[in-house]
Amino acid sequence: MREVKTLDVSHLPPYEISSQAPLWWGQLFITFIEGTMFSILIAAYFYTRLRMDVWPPPGDQFPHIGLPTVSLVLIILSAVGSYWASEAAKRADRMGVIWGLLLNLVLAGAALILRIIEWHSFNFNWKTDGYGSYIWAFLGLHTFDYISDLVFTLVLLVIAMFGRLGPRQRVGVHVDSVVWYFIVLIWIPIYIVVYWGPWLVGTQQ
Amino acid sequence: MTATQDIVPQTQNQAEDLENLNRVWRHPRGVLGWLSYTTHQAIGMRYIVTAFIMLLAGGIEALLIRTQLAHSNNTFLGPDHYNEIFTTHGTTMMFLFAVPMMEGMAIYLVPLMLGTRNVAFPRLNAFGYWMYLGGVLFLYWGVFTNAAPDMGWFAYTPLSGPQFTPGKRTDIWAQMITFTEVSAMCVAAEIIATVFKMRAPRMSLNRIPLYVWSMLIQSFMVLFAMPAIMIASSFLLSDRTVATHFVNPAEGGDPLLYQHIFWFFGHPEVYIIFIPALGFASAIVSANCRREVVGYTAMVLSQIANGFIAFGLWVHHMFATGLPQIGEAFFTASSMMIAITSGVQIFCWLATMWTGRIRLTTSMHFIYGFIAIFALGGMTGVILASVPLDLQAHDTFFVVGHFHYVLIGGAVFPLFGAFYHWFPKMTGRLMNETAGKLNFWVLFVGFNLTFFPMHILGLKGMTRRIYTYPPEMGWDQLNMLATIGAWIIAIGGLIFLANVFWGRRYGTVAGNNPWDAESLEWAAASPPKNYNFEYLPVVTSRAPLWVPPEDRTFVTGLRNDRREVLVTTLMDAEPHHRYVLPRPSIWPFLTGVAVTIGFIGSVFDAWYITFGSILTGICLIGWFWPSRPVELEP
């Protein structure tokens, strides 16, 4: 019988929690898609602004800066919790995962409440005019992502507390942190456009 | 190349390994089982069959259009029906046939060509198909309930806005877009992840087949282009259903913005359809010229350049909208530039044929047809890239002729070549070559007869989207010619179908590698087992099957009692870790149903967005919920 050359891979680990995992890449590409969507929305906002003489249109209030900025700081801090949980997941440290995810959820939840309080003070909605449509598109899309990921994080927390924290779940915690970093990072330009935009490129009253 | 079968490693427990593989990769049984399939061959085949049915539907619509236009003052279709049918034709062909067909072929072929067992995310793959099917059913539900869209496949505002197109027709169109784009983005993400991380060991980036390169580039284009159409269709839909004002000029929106965003997607879309076809051409040319394609690096770089330039062309669809001249000049230049990178590829194939030993198979015929037709379509493209000429030809049949030359010549001819080329791999039997060549000539003659006269008609002033014309225009003869051509194309389609059914039943049994081709899919059985390869191959060359059998290496040590594959490094594809793919699951289907409820419902009442999101959330939790802890131990 002819000798056949073989490459034995039985010594390789059966899973990996890092940027070598296919799931990490898949998640990265999903963030490309979302990032492109928000970029196009930002471009459309400025395109529309260029076509208008008065921005925001007469009657729409200028945004407040205070609460949204506090909210922004909280969102950025919540990424620390994500990072903590993700590093703990790599070490299979159940308590670290639980505390990290809790910190993430608490800070992100507080930031969300501030955001919702703030949008209740608007004197326009998406039906008012083009400007209102954009502001609510930014807030709506981002908040949709935001809440979706919070729910997923909550599920992970429940699994970590009461269920089995196996390799697949730990990869889930790690990838969840990638999603959360994206949601935090993309919020920074959106925050600038939504809350500073009228002050920077608008017509002062 | 039957020798490949004898030279797999003879390990002690080979029989047991094989039994394990067959058991672990077996499809679940029953109707619920059928809805739970996650193997890439099954999902890919579902895409291909569904997209082919859509090709037939779009083809029938084309015949109706051509029959109506056959002579002046025809009353075969009224203006309303005509509008619905040409809109449905364009929409079907672009969104429900061309892109999903290319995705389906890739889902089927890419894992085989990379020497792995499945795509990186099998359940996402299944979900993507259910989304696509949702889009198909939604649009055709509209067609059969007298709610077909009637505002053109691009739905320009303000015509498509709530003011001028009331009713649900446009909403159905816009939401159908969302379905198909979700599907395309799922496929794109998993194709890139599969190509990056699941290649056969040592298949470094400069050894992956040109077809896989084309799919990699296409998938990246999908990631950056498809979000644009989702934004455009969402703007349109929310203006229509929840009274936003994105594209409403009366309330501080802008209708031209819709065109910008639409074409920012729409132009790359052409390349999303066309670049995979370039990959088909490379694979068919190298197999049938029995040498590797000349200029691998030049081919890859020019395809990447195509991908980039494609994003800088969208305004050439909008020259007639009165844009600043500097913008028009830029887009003219970039539109002409893409002829360079496309030309490089054509010359690489010609050089391959020149220096190879050509075997004139049916698939090769289709490649010749592709090169001839595509070159002509490219030339009218260069003509249309010039602003003054474009302004003359805009909205005439010249444009219709041009883009059918590019899309049918550039994508459908290579696709038919690909069908003939890979049919034996997918079914185990060859199609009839004589009938195949007849098939080609009938399609080729019919195609040119249909679309060449359209250029002349356009220059004579015949505008697009008219349902009839008066006899004194003098367009009768050429239109009749085009209509005869369309029916000849239909005969070509029937020959193809007959050949498929004949081949499946009576075709010569193909064996693993009927064309003596070089890429890894030909090392698998025909049709492939669910696990593709008993032992994953190690790749040491760009033409792994042209390496002498005694020099080949195989991977051992993967566990066969679960769906395990090998993950390799990004650049050099060194083995990195093992990766256990999930088992079949009903959750992707249920998630698809939940999303469908949300999407379709939201056309009628915005609260369905919330309802659908909650349902989807529940399904996703089910999808990710930990299963029995049997997997993932070392």
Side-chain angles (χ1 to χ4, degrees):
Chain A
M1 193 170 66
R2 206 162 38 197
E3 180 116 357
V4 175
K5 285 183 279 189
T6 56
L7 177 73
D8 184 45
V9 296
S10 54
H11 62 282
L12 293 175
Y15 61 88
E16 170 78 19
I17 306 175
S18 74
S19 61
Q20 291 285 348
L23 198 60
W24 186 93
W25 286 90
Q27 197 57 60
L28 182 74
F29 301 131
I30 302 294
T31 67
F32 281 14
I33 293 168
E34 299 247 335
T36 311
M37 277 176 68
F38 283 115
S39 307
I40 292 169
L41 205 54
I42 290 172
Y45 171 94
F46 285 107
Y47 177 96
T48 308
R49 195 271 161 267
L50 281 175
R51 296 232 162 335
M52 300 280 288
D53 294 330
V54 183
W55 191 261
D60 293 352
Q61 72 183 43
F62 273 61
H64 309 125
I65 303 290
L67 271 187
T69 309
V70 177
S71 171
L72 176 74
V73 172
L74 290 178
I75 291 175
I76 293 173
L77 286 178
S78 74
V80 176
S82 263
Y83 177 77
W84 184 1
S86 149
E87 290 301 305
K90 289 179 187 171
R91 298 187 308 266
D93 163 12
R94 185 187 286 262
M95 287 320 283
V97 170
I98 291 172
W99 284 113
L101 291 180
L102 262 180
L103 181 68
N104 178 353
L105 275 175
V106 167
L107 290 177
L112 181 64
I113 291 167
L114 292 185
R115 182 190 293 186
I116 292 172
I117 291 173
E118 172 61 28
W119 82 37
H120 274 101
S121 74
F122 291 168
N123 72 345
F124 56 85
N125 67 17
W126 56 89
K127 296 178 185 175
T128 312
D129 47 35
Y131 171 80
S133 303
Y134 279 104
I135 298 303
W136 282 98
F138 284 124
L139 290 173
L141 278 178
H142 190 268
T143 308
F144 184 84
D145 280 6
Y146 196 103
I147 294 177
S148 309
D149 196 53
L150 286 192
V151 171
F152 189 59
T153 308
L154 189 65
V155 171
L156 285 173
L157 181 64
V158 171
I159 292 173
M161 287 169 83
F162 306 110
R164 191 186 117 83
L165 194 64
R168 190 163 278 166
Q169 289 71 45
R170 284 157 52 210
V171 176
V173 172
H174 177 63
V175 167
D176 182 50
S177 73
V178 176
V179 183
W180 191 251
Y181 302 153
F182 167 76
I183 289 174
V184 171
L185 278 177
I186 199 73
W187 179 244
I188 296 170
I190 297 172
Y191 156 86
I192 293 171
V193 171
V194 168
Y195 298 106
W196 288 89
W199 299 102
L200 296 174
V201 300
T203 32
Q204 301 288 340
Q205 282 150 347
Chain B
M1 278 293 149
T2 46
T4 45
Q5 274 161 334
D6 330 327
I7 50 129
V8 293
Q10 307 286 318
T11 52
Q12 286 168 338
N13 38 11
Q14 192 181 2
E16 192 191 332
D17 277 356
L18 206 54
E19 195 190 311
N20 273 335
L21 276 173
N22 279 319
R23 178 175 53 79
V24 165
W25 287 87
R26 189 180 298 144
H27 287 309
R29 289 169 198 280
V31 178
L32 280 185
W34 191 83
L35 297 172
S36 311
Y37 283 14
T38 50
T39 58
H40 74 98
Q41 307 92 337
I43 307 289
M45 196 46 88
R46 285 175 190 182
Y47 267 102
I48 293 170
V49 169
T50 315
F52 196 83
I53 293 170
M54 285 296 102
L55 173 66
L56 296 179
I60 291 169
E61 286 145 13
L63 284 178
L64 294 175
I65 295 172
R66 275 320 317 169
T67 307
Q68 163 63 21
L69 292 177
H71 59 85
S72 51
N73 289 338
N74 197 353
T75 53
F76 174 64
L77 296 172
D80 291 337
H81 267 117
Y82 185 82
N83 286 351
E84 290 167 26
I85 286 169
F86 86 66
T87 303
T88 311
H89 166 73
T91 304
T92 302
M93 288 302 200
M94 293 302 277
F95 294 107
L96 302 178
F97 157 64
V99 177
M101 179 61 92
M102 295 304 177
E103 307 286 22
M105 293 293 280
I107 290 167
Y108 198 104
L109 292 172
V110 165
L112 279 162
M113 286 190 173
L114 294 177
T116 186
R117 299 204 196 281
N118 204 341
V119 290
F121 315 120
R123 290 184 181 181
L124 185 73
N125 195 18
F127 171 72
Y129 174 74
W130 300 120
M131 281 288 90
Y132 162 54
L133 189 64
V136 168
L137 296 178
F138 193 31
L139 183 76
Y140 275 84
W141 175 64
V143 169
F144 289 118
T145 56
N146 193 23
D150 59 356
M151 65 299 156
W153 78 275
F154 26 65
Y156 282 162
T157 55
L159 174 65
S160 59
Q163 213 181 339
F164 300 103
T165 313
K168 288 294 160 201
R169 297 173 186 275
T170 307
D171 301 323
I172 289 174
W173 178 88
Q175 203 64 300
M176 178 281 303
I177 299 285
T178 320
F179 276 106
T180 55
E181 307 313 290
V182 168
S183 153
M185 293 193 286
C186 292
V187 178
E190 82 204 6
I191 292 281
I192 304 176
T194 310
V195 175
F196 274 5
K197 297 307 296 176
M198 284 167 60
R199 301 196 302 275
R202 317 242 166 92
M203 186 191 267
S204 48
L205 276 184
N206 58 353
R207 282 179 187 155
I208 65 181
L210 284 168
Y211 173 69
V212 175
W213 264 114
S214 74
M215 280 315 301
L216 182 65
I217 294 161
Q218 187 250 23
S219 300
F220 269 106
M221 294 182 70
V222 168
L223 292 190
F224 295 113
M226 296 284 177
I229 184 69
M230 289 195 74
I231 293 275
S233 65
S234 306
F235 277 7
L236 180 62
L237 194 63
S238 65
D239 273 21
R240 295 175 56 91
T241 55
V242 294
T244 54
H245 302 291
F246 292 109
V247 290
N248 175 8
E251 294 286 352
D254 191 285
L256 200 57
L257 174 67
Y258 176 87
Q259 278 196 39
H260 276 294
I261 304 180
F262 182 86
W263 286 115
F264 183 78
F265 146 80
H267 198 82
E269 164 89 343
V270 176
Y271 288 82
I272 285 169
I273 294 167
F274 164 61
I275 285 182
L278 299 177
F280 293 148
S282 297
I284 293 168
V285 165
S286 67
N288 288 299
C289 295
R290 281 163 286 178
R291 60 156 297 163
E292 291 172 46
V293 172
V294 172
Y296 180 92
T297 314
M299 287 291 283
V300 171
L301 290 179
S302 56
Q303 279 189 19
I304 294 174
N306 264 4
F308 275 100
I309 300 170
F311 281 89
L313 303 181
W314 84 91
V315 168
H316 75 206
H317 297 268
M318 299 170 61
F319 282 152
T321 58
L323 295 163
Q325 246 185 350
I326 178 78
E328 295 187 339
F330 173 84
F331 284 97
T332 295
S334 57
S335 306
M336 292 184 172
M337 190 155 71
I338 204 149
I340 301 173
T341 50
S342 305
V344 167
Q345 297 173 52
I346 301 256
F347 283 115
C348 284
W349 292 317
L350 292 180
T352 313
M353 294 173 193
W354 192 295
T355 54
R357 287 170 296 139
I358 301 175
R359 189 171 44 198
L360 265 180
T361 56
T362 304
S363 51
M364 234 9 222
H365 278 68
F366 276 101
I367 297 307
Y368 285 130
F370 149 64
I371 291 177
I373 297 171
F374 182 70
L376 279 173
M379 277 187 255
T380 50
V382 175
I383 292 172
L384 286 171
S386 143
V387 178
L389 283 164
D390 180 78
L391 289 178
Q392 290 299 315
H394 186 81
D395 261 350
T396 68
F397 262 84
F398 189 85
V399 177
V400 180
H402 159 70
F403 70 69
H404 282 96
Y405 263 69
V406 175
L407 284 169
I408 298 185
V412 179
F413 270 75
L415 181 69
F416 272 83
F419 286 153
Y420 276 94
H421 189 65
W422 280 294
F423 184 84
K425 180 51 60 188
M426 294 172 176
T427 64
R429 287 176 186 270
L430 291 156
M431 281 200 262
N432 185 301
E433 280 287 300
T434 315
K437 284 166 193 166
L438 178 71
N439 185 188
F440 165 75
W441 283 111
V442 172
L443 281 179
F444 186 77
V445 170
F447 170 83
N448 283 295
L449 208 55
T450 312
F451 295 103
F452 193 79
M454 289 188 188
H455 294 98
I456 304 167
L457 281 169
L459 294 177
K460 286 174 123 184
M462 182 166 169
T463 48
R464 294 168 73 177
R465 303 178 206 121
I466 47 164
Y467 82 101
T468 193
Y469 48 91
E472 56 269 24
M473 301 306 291
W475 299 336
D476 274 79
Q477 284 175 339
L478 287 170
N479 269 306
M480 181 53 86
L481 213 56
T483 302
I484 293 169
W487 283 95
I488 294 177
I489 294 180
I491 294 170
L494 289 179
I495 297 174
F496 175 77
L497 270 181
N499 206 353
V500 167
F501 288 114
W502 183 89
R504 272 180 64 89
R505 215 186 155 118
Y506 307 110
T508 319
V509 175
N512 289 359
N513 194 357
W515 312 117
D516 193 13
E518 80 286 17
S519 45
L520 284 176
E521 78 272 27
W522 301 106
S526 306
K529 304 284 183 199
N530 287 348
Y531 46 85
N532 287 343
F533 304 97
E534 194 181 340
Y535 296 93
L536 300 185
V538 177
V539 170
T540 51
S541 143
R542 272 178 202 157
L545 297 195
W546 289 344
V547 169
E550 58 272 20
D551 293 342
R552 297 182 200 165
T553 311
F554 293 87
V555 173
T556 57
L558 279 178
R559 268 181 61 173
N560 290 334
D561 53 353
R562 57 189 185 194
R563 295 190 170 191
E564 192 164 280
V565 293
L566 190 62
V567 174
T568 51
T569 56
L570 175 59
M571 301 295 282
D572 294 327
E574 289 301 327
H576 189 274
H577 64 276
R578 293 177 287 146
Y579 171 41
V580 185
L581 295 173
R583 286 172 294 184
S585 159
I586 191 70
W587 286 108
F589 173 73
L590 295 179
T591 311
V593 171
V595 177
T596 302
I597 291 171
F599 279 179
I600 293 183
S602 68
V603 166
F604 300 96
D605 187 337
W607 278 107
Y608 272 96
I609 299 175
T610 318
F611 180 59
S613 303
I614 294 170
L615 272 185
T616 308
I618 294 169
C619 290
L620 284 177
I621 292 169
W623 182 335
F624 289 108
W625 199 257
S627 45
R628 280 175 296 137
V630 291
E631 301 181 358
L632 287 180
E633 300 314 323

